[in-house]
Amino acid sequence: MSEKTSSVHYINYLALDKILDSQYLASKEKGDEAHDEMLFIIIHQTYELWFKQILHELNSVLKLFKADKIDESNIGIVVNRMDRVNKIMTTLIGQVDVLETMTPLDFLGFRNHLSPASGFQSHQFRKLEVLLGLKIEKRHQPGGCPYHAQFEGVKKQEILNLEDGESLFALVEKWLERIPFLNFEDFDFIKKYENAVNEMLEKEITEIKSADLTDQDKTLRIRMIDENRKYFERVLNEDQHKGAIKKEETKLSYKATMSALLINLYRDQPILHLPYQFLRSLVELDHKISTWRFRHMQMVEKMLGQKIGTGGSAGQEYLKQTVDKHKLFTDLANIATLMISRSYLPELPQNIKDKLGFSYVK
Ligand code: HEM
């Protein structure tokens, strides 16, 4: 079938003429075509297309979380979309391999034509960071110049509006704070959990004391358990938690952290399966973005060594700082520190189990 006879043709539906006619090689225009510039352009364009898809998914997730009441069935949709975002991120990390087939010498064949353009000016990447919750004051900003100074007019305003709006981090925090299970009828989760932790730590100390170890080893191990106890206290004690937020050691509110802990501990309860998967997907996304940052930084190191970037930053040294500093959901990842084995987990009363699970009437 020809392009003319079909009302909806592959080429038109996908606007391929536009897309495939959008690779302008600056080196070719200057009369000195560099073979690898095509790869450089296509890979950036591919990234931007995937960024567009990620933003499409994240915006839909944000919309669901902005509703006054989040319907349980929507959590399934959210989990599915986050899974898609994470799969795309895996692809984006893998694409660095393709870029690395270009050598520093090949890159130098056209690098002078693209300066001062840089991925630093990717509007979609910035939108993605801000939507997730990366605040301007938390960024690594060498020279104190704000990242949005790269944009003007509507593009800049769009970023500023997003900075003022509610991010995924903020919405997830609110959602966790609203979860009603912390004080469930006669079951005080935090108190029961605290007792279970103390029982576990006491048992560990008793075991160490009676173990076949030198006194020095015993003291060392007991000291480790005391450190562990301090960590539990710091998270579980509301005032200490607030102090840690002030000192910027942690970000997630006390109530949200307790809900996230409960979801992680009781994830076997049917009603908590999807919330648990959702929390996991956020940690996974954080790790994947961080992995991409790391792979990009290593690629830059191979390509540029210690040269400064075309965007004017210190190049790989700047990128290295962002790998850890720009993570957002570390508090959710750190919930793993608070896990206790199922044998210590306070048993939920039957009436609560019935409410959290599927009830089958015989
Ligand atoms: C030869 C290939 C590449 C080199 C040498 C390179 C180099 C750099 C450098 C040096 C920076 C720091 C800012 C600056 O001073 O310019 C940077 C930032 C950035 N690059 Fe690349 N890059 C390359 C490929 C890519 C690709 C394929 C993407 C995909 C979109 C990308 C996206 C970004 C982003 C989003 C930033 C900002 C990161 C941040 O501020 O956290 N880069 N790049």
Side-chain angles (χ1 to χ4, degrees):
M1 212 185 306
S2 88
E3 206 179 320
K4 285 175 193 158
T5 54
S6 160
S7 52
V8 182
H9 193 283
Y10 180 81
I11 294 176
N12 302 333
Y13 178 70
L14 297 173
L16 288 183
D17 283 341
K18 247 193 203 169
I19 293 180
L20 299 178
D21 193 23
S22 300
Q23 292 72 40
Y24 310 110
L25 275 61
S27 59
K28 192 175 173 187
E29 271 170 32
K30 299 267 159 40
D32 184 20
E33 184 171 344
H35 176 85
D36 282 25
E37 194 176 357
M38 180 67 91
L39 172 74
F40 186 80
I41 292 174
I42 287 187
I43 204 147
H44 278 87
Q45 290 178 338
T46 314
Y47 269 105
E48 289 293 338
L49 282 175
W50 281 126
F51 289 161
K52 186 168 182 173
Q53 185 66 36
I54 293 178
L55 288 170
H56 183 63
E57 303 300 343
L58 284 183
N59 275 316
S60 76
V61 169
L62 256 84
K63 200 168 160 198
L64 291 173
F65 270 94
K66 277 180 184 166
D68 291 339
K69 186 176 178 303
I70 301 162
D71 198 283
E72 274 313 310
S73 62
N74 284 342
I75 299 289
I77 298 176
V78 165
V79 167
N80 177 265
R81 295 194 180 154
M82 290 304 295
D83 184 42
R84 183 178 293 162
V85 168
N86 279 325
K87 294 279 188 319
I88 296 172
M89 278 312 303
T90 305
T91 302
L92 297 190
I93 294 163
Q95 278 185 199
V96 176
D97 289 343
V98 182
L99 190 55
E100 282 186 335
T101 60
M102 180 170 82
T103 67
L105 207 57
D106 297 327
F107 184 40
L108 284 177
F110 62 93
R111 187 178 185 233
N112 57 328
H113 299 308
L114 60 101
S115 184
S118 161
F120 203 62
Q121 296 159 337
S122 168
H123 192 245
Q124 294 200 101
F125 187 75
R126 295 307 179 210
K127 285 205 309 196
L128 166 62
E129 289 180 325
V130 179
L131 269 184
L132 287 175
L134 182 58
K135 292 285 171 203
I136 188 157
E137 61 276 10
K138 299 278 182 240
R139 284 177 184 270
H140 176 59
Q141 289 193 133
C145 183
Y147 74 97
H148 53 55
Q150 299 287 339
F151 308 108
E152 288 173 346
V154 179
K155 286 233 172 326
K156 182 162 186 167
Q157 198 51 50
E158 211 183 331
I159 295 281
L160 295 177
N161 292 346
L162 283 182
E163 283 269 359
D164 288 343
E166 279 185 306
S167 67
L168 186 61
F169 180 93
L171 289 166
V172 168
E173 185 175 54
K174 269 193 187 166
W175 167 71
L176 285 168
E177 285 171 353
R178 281 201 306 266
I179 286 181
F181 309 126
L182 287 183
N183 237 320
F184 220 31
E185 296 169 9
D186 50 355
F187 183 77
D188 181 343
F189 163 65
I190 300 173
K191 211 160 200 67
K192 295 253 182 214
Y193 170 76
E194 237 174 337
N195 290 343
V197 168
N198 285 333
E199 190 195 332
M200 179 186 79
L201 297 177
E202 286 315 317
K203 189 161 180 236
E204 283 175 12
I205 289 178
T206 313
E207 277 167 9
I208 291 171
K209 283 183 178 160
S210 59
D212 187 16
L213 293 167
T214 63
D215 282 352
Q216 202 185 0
D217 270 353
K218 284 183 185 176
T219 315
L220 187 74
R221 280 165 200 234
I222 289 173
R223 204 183 307 143
M224 275 159 61
I225 289 181
D226 282 341
E227 285 306 312
N228 218 351
R229 193 194 298 277
K230 275 188 208 146
Y231 184 82
F232 278 107
E233 269 170 24
R234 207 244 317 102
V235 184
L236 290 175
N237 180 294
E238 192 164 359
D239 289 336
Q240 286 197 39
H241 190 99
K242 280 183 182 156
I245 291 181
K246 254 197 192 141
K247 283 192 254 163
E248 300 194 355
E249 289 166 4
T250 191
K251 236 177 3 163
L252 197 66
S253 74
Y254 177 73
K255 216 169 164 199
T257 306
M258 292 304 109
S259 284
L261 173 62
L262 181 136
I263 291 171
N264 274 270
L265 287 170
Y266 293 102
R267 63 185 183 222
D268 297 338
Q269 298 301 319
I271 207 176
L272 299 179
H273 280 175
L274 286 174
Y276 170 66
Q277 281 182 38
F278 173 55
L279 295 184
R280 258 175 84 100
S281 73
L282 293 172
V283 174
E284 198 173 327
L285 178 58
D286 221 18
H287 287 179
K288 285 195 187 288
I289 295 178
S290 192
T291 305
W292 180 79
R293 289 187 196 277
F294 186 73
R295 291 284 282 115
H296 171 264
M297 178 274 290
Q298 280 190 325
M299 179 275 297
V300 169
E301 190 172 26
K302 281 187 229 168
M303 208 67 80
L304 298 179
Q306 296 300 319
K307 289 188 186 111
I308 61 163
T310 46
S313 80
Q316 57 109 352
E317 200 39 56
Y318 157 74
L319 297 167
K320 204 181 277 178
Q321 295 294 326
T322 66
V323 175
D324 251 347
K325 191 161 182 197
H326 290 186
K327 274 201 201 150
L328 292 162
F329 296 101
T330 310
D331 295 330
L332 290 180
N334 284 345
I335 294 283
T337 327
L338 303 170
M339 288 296 99
I340 55 176
S341 83
R342 281 186 173 87
S343 60
Y344 286 102
L345 200 59
E347 180 75 19
L348 291 173
Q350 192 55 46
N351 60 333
I352 293 177
K353 271 190 187 165
D354 290 345
K355 284 185 180 146
L356 292 176
F358 304 119
S359 300
Y360 299 100
V361 182
K362 281 191 188 155

